[in-house]
Amino acid sequence: MLVVGFRGTAPASGEPFMQALSKGELGGVILFDRDTLTASVGRNISAPDQLGALTDTLRSTALRGAIGPRLLIAVDQEGGRVARLNPGNGYPAVPSEAELGAANDLTRTTDAAILTGITLAGAGIDFNLAPVVDLNVNPSNPAIGALERSFSADAAIVVAHASAVIEAQQGAGIKMAIKHFPGEGSATGNTDNGIVDVTSTWSPKELEPFRALIAAGLPDAVMVGHIINGQIDADRPAALSRAVIDGVLRSEFGWRGVVISDDLQAPAITRQYGEGESIALAIEAGVDLLLFANQQVYDADIVEHVLAMVVDLVASGRISESRIDESVDRIEGLFSTVE
């Protein structure tokens, strides 16, 4: 249930992260091109040859543990300014979603997505946390609109281009996670910096791309964001909300696949709930894959720390083993399609 970030372009076998991987304690990793804490370039990705060697090492290490070949290697490869594989580390530039949506040429979008899929597959990456399907309701949104991460404010354009991206990259063997449910396009702040409330700016139309893509059976996973949306749940951020995940996403939309959280180390989560409580709430809400980017706050022993917390939650009776089993079954389904 863990997807974790780490530091290093060639981590040594003795590092805690690699030891956890070899013991089968880790289902997935996430790679970054830079570290937001140190601003250093090349946190995990510095060049094509290096990245290929890194993903080979990660997979060979996982083969010795319980996860084996089912390790997920994830990245945010949206295009434009959010592309971990980019010209700065030897990879081709990819247009932003905003650029593709403005052109509204599905052939161009498909061609760009095919290139991305081939690039990721060639680098040994099999899980893309993309596309963004938030509507560009607020073009000044510091996390979405201002970074050109949305195709459009028009749901039909978002659905058409997101569908093209998903299908093209799936054709290269890449698993795709649409984000950020239930919609962050109207936000005025960035959850990387603190709590963001969209209660007064969000509208149900922001659900339309998620509803349409899920109805078409296209996504492999859905990422749930950290915004507070009082129109659905006034008390908790989406990734910690049973009303959002079990209520809207699963019961109303019929989503039976994997739910992945946004970064559970984001200040929007940690400042209010702390690490242990946020993990408990996320699992209770229905999250399957717990994402710890390990960027803004780095914990070399994050896997052991989180595992200990989850074990305590089960031992105390707060989280049942059957709840864990539900997530494992959904994750196994995702892994089986990766294999």
Side-chain angles (χ1 to χ4, degrees):
M1 293 178 67
L2 302 184
V3 178
V4 170
F6 61 97
R7 285 185 181 157
T9 53
S13 59
E15 294 183 18
F17 166 81
M18 294 296 284
Q19 291 178 338
L21 191 59
S22 68
K23 291 187 288 185
E25 296 176 339
L26 194 54
V29 300
I30 182 168
L31 306 180
F32 292 93
D33 58 329
R34 63 179 66 237
D35 195 308
T36 57
L37 184 65
T38 64
S40 62
V41 177
R43 164 168 156 153
N44 303 127
I45 306 168
S46 61
D49 288 347
Q50 169 273 322
L51 179 56
L54 173 60
T55 55
D56 283 348
T57 297
L58 295 174
R59 292 201 183 282
S60 63
T61 301
L63 280 172
R64 298 192 292 270
I67 293 300
R70 297 169 298 177
L71 175 72
L72 286 172
I73 300 181
V75 74
D76 295 290
Q77 191 72 7
E78 302 167 12
R81 295 169 66 178
V82 183
R84 309 308 181 191
L85 284 65
N86 54 61
N89 47 47
Y91 288 94
V94 182
S96 70
E97 289 193 10
E99 183 179 344
L100 293 172
N104 201 18
D105 180 343
L106 288 176
T107 299
R108 182 185 178 194
T109 296
T110 298
D111 288 345
I114 289 172
L115 174 60
T116 296
I118 292 171
T119 300
L120 293 177
I125 294 166
D126 54 22
F127 192 23
N128 192 5
L129 305 183
V132 170
V133 298
D134 300 308
L135 297 186
N136 194 27
V137 177
N138 173 19
S140 299
N141 180 333
I144 305 295
L147 297 180
E148 301 184 341
R149 298 175 70 193
S150 170
F151 288 113
S152 175
D154 184 329
I157 291 176
V158 172
V159 171
H161 287 268
S163 298
V165 167
I166 293 169
E167 290 177 327
Q169 293 190 37
Q170 285 174 336
I174 308 301
K175 299 298 148 187
M176 307 294 291
I178 58 175
K179 61 188 185 184
H180 306 80
F181 192 85
E184 296 186 5
S186 69
T188 58
N190 189 336
T191 56
D192 285 345
N193 302 319
I195 292 175
V196 177
D197 193 321
V198 298
T199 303
S200 63
T201 58
W202 183 89
S203 69
K205 71 178 182 179
E206 296 186 54
L207 290 170
E208 292 176 14
F210 297 97
R211 188 193 307 270
L213 293 167
I214 288 170
L218 286 175
D220 298 292
V222 176
M223 176 179 281
V224 181
H226 290 327
I227 47 91
I228 292 277
N229 186 336
Q231 296 186 46
I232 303 175
D233 186 338
D235 297 323
R236 292 176 181 166
L240 310 185
S241 169
R242 189 174 293 168
V244 170
I245 298 173
D246 274 345
V248 179
L249 182 55
R250 295 208 186 278
S251 297
E252 183 179 339
F253 286 13
W255 177 244
R256 297 293 177 261
V258 167
V259 171
I260 180 171
S261 72
D262 206 341
D263 182 12
L264 287 174
Q265 291 171 312
I269 298 296
T270 58
R271 288 177 186 169
Q272 180 166 345
Y273 299 96
E275 188 175 55
E277 183 65 8
S278 64
I279 291 169
L281 291 172
I283 296 173
E284 288 175 334
V287 171
D288 302 305
L289 287 172
L290 306 169
L291 176 61
F292 295 87
N294 233 354
Q295 287 235 90
Q296 298 192 48
V297 176
Y298 188 74
D299 179 358
D301 298 305
I302 185 70
V303 178
E304 295 301 326
H305 290 163
V306 174
L307 282 177
M309 291 178 191
V310 175
V311 168
D312 286 345
L313 287 168
V314 173
S316 70
R318 179 167 179 181
I319 303 292
S320 68
E321 289 190 26
S322 62
R323 169 64 195 90
I324 300 295
D325 290 341
E326 290 174 3
S327 285
V328 171
D329 288 343
R330 286 190 283 261
I331 297 164
E332 287 286 351
L334 179 63
F335 282 147
S336 67
T337 56
V338 170
E339 291 179 300

